[in-house]
Amino acid sequence: MRTNTRRATAMAVALLCTAAVAGCSGGAGSGAPAKKSGAPEDLAAASASASASPSPSATAVGKVSARSTSLGKILVDGEARTLYLFEADKRNKSTCTGDCVKIWPPLIVTGKPEAGTGGVKGDLLSTTTRDNGAKQATYNGHPLYRFTGDHKPGDTNGQGDVSFHNTWYVLGTSGKKNTTPQQNTGGGY
């Protein structure tokens, strides 16, 4: 009996250590500060937040505009919610699946995304097809996502987030990532 208890305890400790190492791995040496980890407690908090509000992932027509924020002029969706890129993605190919889309819902559209106000360039807007067949909006080849930790228009709580083994950034109208550090304004999760 003691041998089985010790073995079970050792296996539990090994699993916890493995989970801790996986949750703390920050990515491919991007040099960005590790702000958040995507650890299980973060997943639970974000999932609870996501289930408390309507899913921000689907829209009939994706209108992408730009908005001035403390990070500069950044891309936002038709509801003025901040849009992000994921550094793990390849050009026009999303790698965010499974638990990732629960926290970082892709901007899904039914047609070609439209360029809104603020200097968004229509020729940089397009779509990519996700593994499930859904069309995800892209800008300059970057698949676009929202962040469930952003609770209202103008929030940029996902800026510099390190989760799912890489970093998330807002985009400027040029189509390039904006690596300006997020200022702590008491928001976020």
Side-chain angles (χ1 to χ4, degrees), residues 120-188:
V120 171
K121 299 172 182 160
D123 60 332
L124 295 182
L125 279 168
S126 190
T127 61
T128 185
T129 304
R130 296 183 57 79
D131 291 342
N132 65 1
K135 297 288 185 189
Q136 181 175 0
T138 64
Y139 194 77
N140 196 29
H142 300 289
L144 299 176
Y145 305 85
R146 297 181 219 181
F147 179 51
T148 58
D150 287 345
H151 302 291
K152 63 184 185 316
D155 281 355
T156 55
N157 297 317
Q159 175 68 353
D161 179 71
V162 178
S163 58
F164 301 99
H165 306 291
N166 227 309
T167 310
W168 300 83
Y169 293 108
V170 297
L171 289 88
T173 56
S174 68
K176 296 181 181 175
K177 68 182 176 184
N178 174 332
T179 60
T180 304
Q182 170 63 33
Q183 297 175 359
N184 186 357
T185 58

Side-chain angles (χ1 to χ4, degrees), residues 62-66 75-78 113-122 125 139 173:
K63 184 172 275 192
V64 177
S65 297
L75 299 184
V76 297
D77 67 9
E114 296 177 11
T117 61
V120 171
K121 299 172 182 160
L125 279 168
Y139 194 77
T173 56

